Amino acid sequence: MARSRSKSAEQNNTAVAVRGGMISRIECDNFKSYKGHQVIGPFKQFTSIIGPNGSGKSNLMDAISFVLGVQSAQLRGTVLRDLVYAFDLADREESRTAYVKLFYDAEDGTEICFSRHIDASGAGQYKIDGKACTAEAYSERLKEHGILIKARNFLVFQGDIESVASKSPKELCALIEQVSGSADLKKDYDEALKSRKECEEEQLASLQRRKATTNLRKQMKEQKEEAEKHIRMQQELTKLKTEHVMFKLYHIDHEAERHTEEIEEAKEALKEHEDRLNALKKEEEEKRQLKAGHSKRVMMLERKIAKAKEDADKRNPAAVKNREETLRAKKKLELAQKMLERHSADAEQSATDIARLERDLKNVAAAEEIFENDFQAELKKGDKKQLGAAQVEDYNRKKEEAGAKTFKLRQERDGLAAAAQADEDVRKRLEAKRDELTQRVDFLNEQKQGELRRMADLEKGRDEAKAELDEARAKDKGLADEKRKSRAKQEHLTNKIEEISGKLREAKADRKESEREVRAQEAIVAMRRLLPGVYGRVTDLLKVTQRKYNLAVITVLGRDADAIVVEDAAVAKECVQYLKEQRVAPMTFLPLDGVKAYEPDEGLRHLGGSAKLAVDVCNFDSKFKVAMIYALGSDTIVCDTHEEAKRLTFGGERRFKVVSLDGTMIRKSGEMTGGTSGSLEAKASRFDAEEVATLRADRQAAEESLARLKPVATFAMEEQEAQARMTRLERDLQYAAADIKVCAEKIGKLSKDVEVMEREITSTVPELEKATAELEKTVKAARVLEKKIHAIEDEVYAEFSKSVGVKNIREYEENNLATLQRGAEERAKFAQQKAKLTEQLNYERSRDVAGPRAKAQSDITRHEEDLARLASEAEKAKAEADAARNETEGWVKDAAAAKEEMRAVETEINELRSRNKGANTDEAKLQRVVSNKTAQVESLRENRADIIAAARMERLKLPRADDDEEDEDILALPAPVPTLEAEQLEEAEAMEVDAETTGGWRAAAFRVKLDYENLPDRLKNAPRPSDRERLDHELRDAVEEMAADLARLEPNMKAIEQYEGLKEKEAEQVEALEDSRRRTKEAAEAFDAIMQERESTFMAAFEHISGAIDRVYKELTSSRIHPMGGTAYLNLEDTQEPYNSGVRFSAMPPTKRFRDMDQLSGGEKTMAALALIFAIHSYRSSPFFILDEVDAALDKTNVEKMAQFIRNRSHGTNPGNEGKPCQSIVISLKDYFFDKADSLVGVCRDIDQACSRVLTFDLEKFPEEIEE
């Protein structure tokens, strides 16, 4: 075999100087299509694998890839078991093992055996020189020889060329990253970048926190100084509040002692009165027991009477049933008597008809006999044509002769005539019978239709009665439902009216207290009418958004709730003058141009929870905004619960004025006010004026609806009418059912009679048809004989007929035979009449007229017996009812007498009650005295406890008496414990606020003894309520004035502690800022180092590939015509961070302008992709390169160019290899490619063994033809 080679290639071969590592041979066992143990090789520097399609070439490449660590998914197999040899699916079940061994000759001359095994279970194993190792160690050993499994820098599969040609810039960049190894740094790069960003954000946050803390510390210093001033004023206020509380408690204790003495006196008088009252009650109890005895007797008698009435009611339906059965029996008896009369008349008529028919039959027989005699006489007389004696003699002789000749025929004819006459008689008789039966059937059908119509009418009446009964029942049920609904609606409306009336009464309870308010309202209306610029009270000018806020808003407004909003100060002065002139109580005025108010802080609208600004829960006209903010406060907060109010007031750095929904208010100073107040609730009800109007309208509507309801008596009357109607309809239905039953029986009997008649007609018709057929047959035979007789007679009478002058003898005889014909007709009539009379007589004799008459007689007897039985039962029931009625009348008399005795006892009891009533009135008066005094004492005690509770909430320490035995600290609030958990702290706060749940200290508040010695005498000596009220106002005003001064300070009481804490916090934040700056610097340095390493690794590969791509492409595309070849180059989309962008690959074939890869032909794309693959492989190249049919899309010229390029590269003679050879193993089917190889490995299919076989052929033994 000769091989061709170019001269330049021959010259280049002389440049081979270095030999690198290479694959020497492959051994495989049961791998894919290679059955058993097979040795493939030896492999030369340039080896071409050839063989037909389907022989196993690609499986050989898969074997090389498998042993070099490529995963099974890339080798056309799902799991390792798919790579083990199997002839078919059944053979796949065999437990086989497989392996592939690659013998590699290293550069130092040593041979290394890399092997990969698959055991019987499908598990894989790696070995190096027969020793098992891990996949990582296996990969590292291959990497030492320049074989990168992840980068796959030694393989080019069948689809890789197209894949490379169609890669996007981003994908091409990822490929270069994988080849260069910079992809291994991507994870460290991303983590370093994330760490740097987090450190920068933390540094910025630390800087902002430090600035905020510094600014807050400066502000807190001012608040600290204000808080210290507030503490001094707070101590003075506490002393003043304590004096005020002791003043009120002193006078409460004094009043309680006085009321207690009066209670003791009233209790002694009450005890004497109770003794007298007990005696009266004892006597009344005895009378009541006597009355109970009479009442019990009356009740027993009434029960007996009711039971008797119930029994009578039970007997009543039986009596009604007896009457109804009697009526039905009478009707049945009348019907049976009518039927007896009808059947008797029918029997008499039948006997009369039989006698008449027998008489008529005798008369017809006598008439027939008379006719025969007369007819024979007439025949003898009649002879219309006179003949001579000779003619007569000749006629007689001819007649005898003809008679002799036709004797037998005449006998036969007469016999047939007699038979025909008999058949005719039978036919007429059967026809008469059929007609009579048909008439009888029509008569019976007519009767049946009449009964059917009557039954239909009865059923229609029954259905109408049923429908009417159902309607009546439905109406009765509807009445019951309507009655129940009406009663329920009546109860509902009554309850609703009472409920609304109660609410309205509650609204009217404050009428006495609001008389002053009414006068004030009248004055306001007058001022609005007389003085322009008067707008109204604050409560009239605002609307609370939700009802639940009513009490809270009124509490916030306080005295300003009644303040009147006016235009300016001048209008306010005029209003004051008007009030003085009209002697109206003083009022507060808010001039819109005089009051000052600040806009609410927007931050207060975002406190969270249920907290809202007081101005936000109210709606008002914007022109009154200043006055409303002044009255409500620009920083007043409304919340749902008292706990939340305390948290808002004391839980932050800033204090607010907070009020909860129950009216409890906490001021900025910490002062708390709360409790129940009728005046506040009355003012809060102003917001519900519309609801009161709605309640009145609802009550009026409910009363009107109640008036429109139907009375219960009307329902009772309608129910009685419905019951009576249902009883009548049920009785009518029973009668209708009985009539329908009788009618149905009659229809059944008529139907049976019709069936009998129809059966007789059915049996008669065939007999009639048979008789008619026999008659026709006989008549036909008689006519035949008649013709024969006529022929013989014509022959015998021929001469006689000629002599007489007639055509034949019959013409002569016809003149005389008319009489004979008439005689025959008369005889036929007589026979027909006799047959008809005989048939009627037989029918009448066959009728059963005695049976129906006997049955009717039996029915009459049975019905008479039923009537007698029912009459007896009725008499018996009447006797029982009379006896029960007599017994009941006796019980009624006894009950009336017992009631009279009970009324007499009731009169005595009423007299005792009237006496007891007077005594009870006196007792009630004494009890009211005790109750009122006790209530006053209890109220004073509760007031005392409330005052002590308020003092406790304000942490006021009240002086205690020396003889007081209560615990010293029981009336003091516990100090907050810093270590409490949040839940425990909430429970502690709840215990502080809710006095009702802490019965210990409240009971102590009732019993505690206070020391009033230090209380000034001027506060003790105030016996009159007016003096006490005046002193109370003075003390309250002093407290409020000092509290107002404190409120204006608005200090932050935590500022002292917070200031020191902020100083420490600021130092910590400075240290944290420095630490974050240090970490940010370290993260930036680490990121820069990784980024530089990744960039240098990527750029080293890119620069090498970019420099090699043009040389390789030129070498692949150069020719004699175009020795310079084409141009190819790579461009970076981003030079700053090239690995994060893309790499553009451009190629320009010889003699063509620049085009994108998509616009190149298939061969041009393949050559460009091959150039890129070889350029990439040249960077950190492996010692061998395996390609699978990469020449498939190339023409012969390009295949030869590529083959020469691979040969030069394999031997290290091309410019890009720098004298270092690279073993090439290429699968190809083109002879102008593989003839350039150093050796051939042929793969064929062994049909007998169903596997692939390998043949090796060394081409170096053959000389090459040098092409000039």
Side-chain angles (χ1 to χ4, degrees):
M1 179 179 179
R3 293 182 296 159
S4 63
R5 188 169 49 145
S6 66
K7 188 173 183 179
S8 59
E10 180 67 24
Q11 294 171 353
N12 288 335
N13 280 341
T14 60
V16 174
V18 181
R19 179 183 179 277
M22 62 180 290
I23 300 172
S24 61
R25 68 183 184 278
I26 298 290
E27 293 183 10
C28 61
D29 184 77
N30 290 330
F31 184 83
K32 282 203 168 184
S33 61
Y34 294 91
K35 181 179 180 182
H37 180 267
Q38 297 193 34
V39 179
I40 305 168
F43 291 95
K44 302 294 184 177
Q45 283 297 122
F46 181 15
T47 302
S48 181
I49 302 172
I50 62 175
N53 290 329
S55 60
K57 302 187 301 298
S58 296
N59 288 342
L60 178 54
M61 186 171 184
D62 289 345
I64 299 172
S65 303
F66 173 72
V67 75
L68 291 177
V70 176
Q71 298 299 315
S72 60
Q74 300 176 359
L75 302 177
R76 298 174 293 171
T78 306
V79 294
L80 290 177
R81 288 286 301 168
D82 296 339
L83 306 179
V84 180
Y85 170 80
F87 174 70
D88 53 19
L89 293 176
D91 190 48
R92 188 180 294 275
E93 300 300 325
E94 293 290 334
S95 298
R96 289 194 179 95
T97 61
Y99 66 82
V100 179
K101 294 182 179 180
L102 183 145
F103 293 90
Y104 177 73
D105 291 340
E107 294 181 2
D108 57 1
T110 60
E111 184 182 68
I112 304 172
C113 176
F114 294 95
S115 62
R116 190 175 177 187
H117 300 254
I118 304 174
D119 61 18
S121 64
Q125 187 180 24
Y126 296 91
K127 292 184 179 181
I128 300 176
D129 291 332
K131 295 181 180 180
C133 63
T134 63
E136 290 77 9
Y138 195 82
S139 176
E140 288 298 323
R141 186 66 179 274
L142 289 172
K143 189 175 182 182
E144 292 176 2
H145 297 280
I147 303 169
L148 306 177
I149 295 177
K150 292 183 180 179
R152 224 172 67 183
N153 64 337
F154 53 88
L155 289 174
V156 178
F157 285 107
Q158 284 185 4
D160 289 352
I161 300 298
E162 295 179 3
S163 176
V164 170
S166 61
K167 281 187 182 296
S168 65
K170 194 72 177 176
E171 293 171 340
L172 187 56
C173 179
L175 178 61
I176 295 174
E177 262 210 293
Q178 194 174 21
V179 171
S180 66
S182 64
D184 298 337
L185 300 172
K186 186 176 186 304
K187 183 178 180 181
D188 295 338
Y189 174 86
D190 293 339
E191 291 178 354
L193 179 61
K194 180 180 179 183
S195 177
R196 188 189 71 174
K197 289 182 178 179
E198 290 176 352
C199 289
E200 290 175 350
E201 292 174 356
E202 178 62 26
Q203 179 183 346
L204 180 60
S206 297
L207 181 61
Q208 291 176 348
R209 284 195 294 270
R210 182 194 169 188
K211 289 181 179 179
T213 303
T214 303
N215 294 333
L216 188 59
R217 179 180 57 80
K218 294 178 180 178
Q219 296 176 3
M220 198 57 66
K221 185 177 180 181
E222 299 175 358
Q223 295 181 11
K224 170 177 167 291
E225 296 171 353
E226 187 177 359
E228 291 172 346
K229 179 182 178 182
H230 183 273
I231 290 172
R232 292 192 298 270
M233 294 182 67
Q234 182 70 38
Q235 293 173 351
E236 297 176 4
L237 179 61
T238 301
K239 183 179 179 182
L240 187 58
K241 285 182 178 180
T242 303
E243 187 174 293
H244 186 200
V245 169
M246 293 298 289
F247 161 74
K248 291 190 286 187
L249 292 175
Y250 173 79
H251 291 287
I252 287 173
D253 290 347
H254 181 72
E255 287 293 320
E257 290 175 3
R258 180 173 61 83
H259 289 309
T260 303
E261 294 173 358
E262 293 175 358
I263 290 171
E264 292 299 327
E265 294 175 359
K267 283 183 177 180
E268 292 178 1
L270 185 62
K271 185 177 181 182
E272 295 175 359
H273 183 77
E274 286 176 353
D275 294 337
R276 294 192 300 273
L277 189 61
N278 289 333
L280 293 173
K281 286 183 178 180
K282 184 176 180 181
E283 185 179 358
E284 183 182 354
E285 183 63 27
E286 293 174 354
K287 296 294 183 181
R288 189 177 289 110
Q289 290 178 358
L290 181 60
K291 177 188 172 184
H294 293 309
S295 176
K296 184 176 181 181
R297 185 184 175 201
V298 170
M299 184 174 64
M300 291 176 64
L301 291 172
E302 287 179 347
R303 285 181 181 175
K304 289 182 180 180
I305 294 169
K307 184 67 169 59
K309 288 182 179 180
E310 184 179 353
D311 294 340
D313 292 338
K314 288 181 180 177
R315 287 193 296 272
N316 190 33
V320 172
K321 182 179 179 181
N322 183 276
R323 286 196 298 271
E324 291 175 354
E325 290 180 354
T326 302
L327 290 175
R328 284 199 298 273
K330 287 181 179 179
K331 285 188 177 182
K332 290 180 180 179
L333 179 61
E334 292 174 359
L335 181 62
Q337 290 173 348
K338 289 180 181 179
M339 294 299 293
L340 179 62
E341 293 175 0
R342 185 186 302 171
H343 292 317
S344 299
D346 191 18
E348 292 175 359
Q349 183 65 35
S350 178
T352 304
D353 290 343
I354 290 172
R356 178 179 56 77
L357 289 172
E358 290 176 347
R359 187 173 59 254
D360 291 345
L361 189 61
K362 292 178 180 179
N363 292 335
V364 170
E368 184 180 10
E369 186 178 356
I370 294 170
F371 171 74
E372 288 292 335
N373 295 330
D374 294 342
F375 184 70
Q376 292 296 329
E378 184 179 355
L379 287 177
K380 291 179 178 180
K381 289 180 182 180
D383 190 3
K384 295 182 180 180
K385 192 168 184 178
Q386 300 294 324
L387 296 177
Q391 291 177 325
V392 171
E393 184 178 356
D394 188 28
Y395 173 75
N396 291 331
R397 189 175 60 253
K398 294 291 183 183
K399 188 173 183 179
E400 290 177 359
E401 182 182 356
K405 290 182 177 180
T406 60
F407 177 73
K408 291 184 178 179
L409 294 175
R410 287 182 181 275
Q411 281 185 337
E412 292 179 5
R413 186 195 65 180
D414 292 342
L416 291 174
Q421 184 62 40
D423 291 339
E424 178 67 16
D425 292 341
V426 171
R427 185 187 69 79
K428 289 181 179 179
R429 180 178 59 80
L430 292 174
E431 192 174 24
K433 181 180 179 181
R434 182 196 65 185
D435 294 341
E436 185 176 0
L437 289 172
T438 303
Q439 291 175 0
R440 184 66 178 170
V441 167
D442 293 341
F443 175 73
L444 291 175
N445 284 330
E446 185 178 356
Q447 282 188 329
K448 181 179 177 182
Q449 292 299 323
E451 293 297 328
L452 287 172
R453 287 192 295 272
R454 180 169 175 267
M455 188 172 183
D457 293 338
L458 290 173
E459 289 178 344
K460 182 179 179 182
R462 180 196 62 187
D463 294 340
E464 290 176 354
K466 279 185 178 180
E468 191 174 357
L469 180 60
D470 293 339
E471 182 183 355
R473 287 173 177 169
K475 184 177 180 181
D476 183 62
K477 184 178 179 182
L479 283 173
D481 294 341
E482 187 179 357
K483 180 180 178 182
R484 186 179 64 257
K485 291 179 181 177
S486 177
R487 186 173 295 171
K489 193 171 183 180
Q490 185 176 7
E491 292 177 358
H492 170 70
L493 291 173
T494 303
N495 294 334
K496 184 177 180 182
I497 291 170
E498 291 178 357
E499 181 182 356
I500 295 173
S501 299
K503 291 181 180 180
L504 291 174
R505 282 194 298 271
E506 291 176 2
K508 294 175 183 178
D510 297 328
R511 179 171 294 174
K512 291 182 179 179
E513 297 179 3
S514 61
E515 290 178 358
R516 180 178 178 183
E517 182 183 348
V518 171
R519 290 194 61 196
Q521 186 65 27
E522 292 174 353
I524 293 170
V525 173
M527 286 189 291
R528 291 185 64 183
R529 185 178 66 254
L530 299 174
L531 303 174
V534 178
Y535 299 114
R537 291 185 303 188
V538 171
T539 53
D540 297 333
L541 297 177
L542 62 81
K543 180 68 175 178
V544 181
T545 57
Q546 296 184 42
R547 186 176 180 181
K548 67 178 184 177
Y549 294 120
N550 285 358
L551 186 57
V553 171
I554 283 295
T555 303
V556 170
L557 289 174
R559 296 179 179 178
D560 290 334
D562 296 324
I564 301 172
V565 180
V566 296
E567 184 66 29
D568 50 29
V571 176
K573 291 178 180 179
E574 293 179 0
C575 292
V576 171
Q577 184 62 32
Y578 176 81
L579 294 177
K580 290 180 179 179
E581 292 174 355
Q582 299 297 324
R583 297 182 180 277
V584 180
M587 297 183 185
T588 303
F589 296 91
L590 301 178
L592 295 178
D593 64 343
V595 295
K596 292 183 179 181
Y598 299 99
E599 286 290 334
D601 186 358
E602 286 296 325
L604 301 181
R605 289 190 168 95
H606 308 288
L607 292 176
S610 62
K612 293 185 179 180
L613 282 171
V615 294
D616 290 343
V617 300
C618 301
N619 295 328
F620 45 80
D621 196 332
S622 58
K623 65 188 289 186
F624 308 129
K625 183 176 181 180
V626 175
M628 297 305 167
I629 293 176
Y630 174 83
L632 294 168
S634 60
D635 58 351
T636 303
I637 306 299
V638 178
C639 62
D640 288 352
T641 63
H642 185 59
E643 289 75 11
E644 187 175 4
K646 289 182 64 179
R647 181 178 57 80
L648 290 171
T649 304
F650 305 118
E653 299 175 353
R654 180 181 173 187
R655 287 197 175 187
F656 310 103
K657 181 180 179 182
V658 185
V659 61
S660 58
L661 297 183
D662 60 357
T664 301
M665 184 166 61
I666 306 176
R667 302 181 185 275
K668 295 179 182 179
S669 61
E671 177 186 358
M672 297 185 189
T673 57
T676 303
S677 173
S679 60
L680 281 178
E681 292 178 355
K683 288 183 179 179
S685 65
R686 295 178 186 174
F687 299 123
D688 300 330
E690 295 181 2
E691 183 179 356
V692 171
T694 303
L695 288 173
R696 288 174 178 167
D698 291 345
R699 183 176 67 178
Q700 184 177 359
E703 290 173 348
E704 293 175 356
S705 300
L706 184 61
R708 287 195 297 268
L709 291 178
K710 189 184 295 184
V712 178
T714 304
F715 282 113
M717 188 180 299
E718 291 179 355
E719 285 180 344
Q720 290 177 358
E721 293 176 357
Q723 290 292 336
R725 183 185 177 194
M726 286 192 292
T727 303
R728 177 179 59 78
L729 290 172
E730 288 173 352
R731 186 172 62 252
D732 292 345
L733 281 174
Q734 292 175 355
Y735 292 158
D739 293 341
I740 289 173
K741 183 178 179 182
V742 172
C743 190
E745 292 175 354
K746 190 172 183 179
I747 290 172
K749 185 176 182 306
L750 290 172
S751 298
K752 289 181 181 178
D753 293 344
V754 170
E755 288 177 1
V756 172
M757 297 296 177
E758 288 179 347
R759 282 198 300 270
E760 290 184 8
I761 291 172
T762 302
S763 63
T764 302
V765 169
E767 294 178 1
L768 178 61
E769 292 175 352
K770 183 178 179 182
T772 303
E774 291 291 334
L775 178 62
E776 291 177 353
K777 183 179 179 182
T778 303
V779 170
K780 186 177 181 181
R783 287 175 182 171
V784 172
L785 291 174
E786 188 72 24
K787 287 180 181 180
K788 290 181 179 181
I789 292 171
H790 288 168
I792 295 172
E793 287 180 345
D794 290 343
E795 184 180 354
V796 173
Y797 285 106
E799 294 179 359
F800 178 77
S801 300
K802 188 176 180 182
S803 64
V804 177
V806 293
K807 186 177 180 180
N808 51 49
I809 191 62
R810 288 182 297 281
E811 184 178 349
Y812 168 74
E813 290 178 348
E814 282 176 358
N815 296 325
N816 295 323
L817 289 178
T819 303
L820 295 174
Q821 182 67 29
R822 183 174 56 82
E825 291 176 356
E826 291 294 330
R827 288 191 195 98
K829 289 180 180 178
F830 281 118
Q832 184 178 2
Q833 289 179 359
K834 286 193 292 182
K836 184 177 180 181
L837 291 172
T838 300
E839 184 68 29
Q840 290 178 355
L841 183 61
N842 291 334
Y843 172 74
E844 289 296 335
R845 286 173 178 172
S846 65
R847 285 180 60 197
D848 182 15
V849 294
R853 183 169 57 184
K855 184 177 183 301
Q857 186 63 45
S858 174
D859 291 342
I860 290 173
T861 304
R862 188 177 73 254
H863 294 327
E864 287 175 348
E865 291 174 354
D866 290 342
L867 283 173
R869 176 179 57 78
L870 292 171
S872 175
E873 292 177 355
E875 288 296 329
K876 183 180 179 182
K878 182 179 179 183
E880 292 177 355
D882 292 341
R885 185 170 57 255
N886 294 333
E887 186 178 8
T888 304
E889 289 175 355
W891 290 339
V892 170
K893 292 178 181 178
D894 294 341
K899 286 181 180 178
E900 286 295 330
E901 293 175 359
M902 186 173 65
R903 280 194 289 271
V905 175
E906 179 71 23
T907 303
E908 295 177 0
I909 291 174
N910 291 335
E911 292 177 357
L912 289 174
R913 284 178 179 172
S914 61
R915 292 169 60 189
N916 287 337
K917 187 175 181 181
N920 287 333
T921 303
D922 297 337
E923 182 184 14
K925 289 179 180 179
L926 292 172
Q927 287 178 344
R928 280 198 298 272
V929 170
V930 174
S931 178
N932 291 336
K933 295 296 181 181
T934 303
Q936 289 176 7
V937 171
E938 188 62 28
S939 176
L940 290 170
R941 293 178 73 246
E942 290 293 335
N943 195 10
R944 185 179 198 267
D946 290 340
I947 293 172
I948 293 175
R952 181 174 182 267
M953 294 302 296
E954 296 183 8
R955 298 187 183 275
L956 299 178
K957 187 172 182 181
L958 304 179
R960 308 281 285 276
D962 295 336
D963 58 347
D964 184 24
E965 298 178 355
E966 296 297 330
D967 188 3
E968 184 70 22
D969 298 329
I970 194 169
L971 296 182
L973 279 176
V977 181
T979 58
L980 283 177
E981 297 292 337
E983 183 178 356
Q984 296 173 338
L985 185 59
E986 290 179 1
E987 292 178 358
E989 292 175 351
M991 290 176 64
E992 294 175 15
V993 177
D994 191 0
E996 301 301 329
T997 61
T998 55
W1001 75 262
R1002 191 168 184 85
F1006 294 149
R1007 300 189 303 270
V1008 68
K1009 296 180 180 179
L1010 302 176
D1011 184 8
Y1012 300 108
E1013 183 152 356
N1014 293 329
L1015 187 67
D1017 293 338
R1018 68 180 185 86
L1019 298 179
K1020 292 180 180 179
N1021 299 327
R1024 293 181 298 179
S1026 59
D1027 296 336
R1028 292 196 294 271
E1029 185 177 358
R1030 176 179 55 77
L1031 291 172
D1032 183 62
H1033 280 304
E1034 290 177 0
L1035 292 171
R1036 186 184 295 112
D1037 291 342
V1039 170
E1040 289 179 356
E1041 183 179 357
M1042 186 170 291
D1045 294 338
L1046 276 173
R1048 282 192 290 273
L1049 289 179
E1050 298 183 2
N1052 179 9
M1053 300 308 296
K1054 296 182 180 181
I1056 299 172
E1057 298 176 1
Q1058 291 173 351
Y1059 177 75
E1060 297 300 327
L1062 284 174
K1063 288 176 66 178
E1064 296 176 1
K1065 186 177 180 182
E1066 185 178 13
E1068 292 174 358
Q1069 289 178 349
V1070 169
E1071 184 178 352
L1073 178 59
E1074 292 300 325
D1075 185 55
S1076 63
R1077 284 174 177 171
R1078 177 182 53 77
R1079 288 197 303 272
T1080 302
K1081 182 180 179 182
E1082 292 174 355
E1085 291 174 352
F1087 173 73
D1088 292 340
I1090 294 173
M1091 182 178 68
Q1092 290 175 4
E1093 182 181 359
R1094 186 180 183 188
E1095 182 179 0
S1096 61
T1097 304
F1098 180 85
M1099 289 305 297
F1102 176 78
E1103 290 172 358
H1104 174 85
I1105 296 169
S1106 180
I1109 184 66
D1110 189 56
R1111 294 196 305 272
V1112 174
Y1113 188 67
K1114 287 182 183 296
E1115 187 174 352
L1116 285 173
T1117 57
S1118 63
S1119 63
R1120 293 176 181 175
I1121 302 173
H1122 305 289
M1124 297 301 294
T1127 303
Y1129 51 90
L1130 298 175
N1131 287 330
L1132 290 173
E1133 290 184 346
D1134 183 7
T1135 58
Q1136 298 296 325
E1137 291 183 286
Y1139 39 78
N1140 285 335
S1141 56
V1143 176
R1144 292 191 175 277
F1145 173 45
S1146 303
M1148 187 169 62
T1151 71
K1152 292 188 178 180
R1153 60 185 178 82
F1154 171 77
R1155 292 180 181 177
D1156 291 335
M1157 290 293 290
D1158 295 339
Q1159 297 176 351
L1160 297 178
S1161 65
E1164 291 171 344
K1165 282 184 180 179
T1166 302
M1167 295 300 285
L1170 282 170
L1172 180 58
I1173 288 173
F1174 287 129
I1176 292 172
H1177 183 263
S1178 66
Y1179 179 75
R1180 298 173 63 184
S1181 64
S1182 65
F1184 51 82
F1185 203 39
I1186 305 169
L1187 299 94
D1188 186 4
E1189 295 189 30
V1190 296
D1191 57 353
L1194 300 177
D1195 55 11
K1196 180 178 180 182
T1197 302
N1198 286 327
V1199 169
E1200 290 178 345
K1201 290 179 181 180
M1202 186 186 70
Q1204 190 61 49
F1205 174 82
I1206 293 175
R1207 179 176 178 80
N1208 294 339
R1209 190 170 183 273
S1210 300
H1211 294 283
T1213 58
N1214 62 332
N1217 266 31
E1218 299 177 354
K1220 185 176 181 181
C1222 176
Q1223 183 184 20
S1224 298
I1225 301 173
V1226 185
I1227 298 176
S1228 178
L1229 298 177
K1230 297 181 179 179
D1231 54 356
Y1232 38 85
F1233 177 88
F1234 60 73
D1235 65 355
K1236 306 295 189 300
D1238 297 331
S1239 65
L1240 298 178
V1241 174
V1243 183
C1244 61
R1245 189 72 177 170
D1246 188 340
I1247 304 301
D1248 296 333
Q1249 296 295 323
C1251 65
S1252 299
R1253 293 297 181 188
V1254 178
L1255 302 173
T1256 306
F1257 194 70
D1258 189 0
L1259 296 180
E1260 290 182 343
K1261 301 176 182 180
F1262 299 93
E1264 299 180 358
E1265 295 178 359
I1266 306 299
E1267 295 180 2
E1268 296 295 334

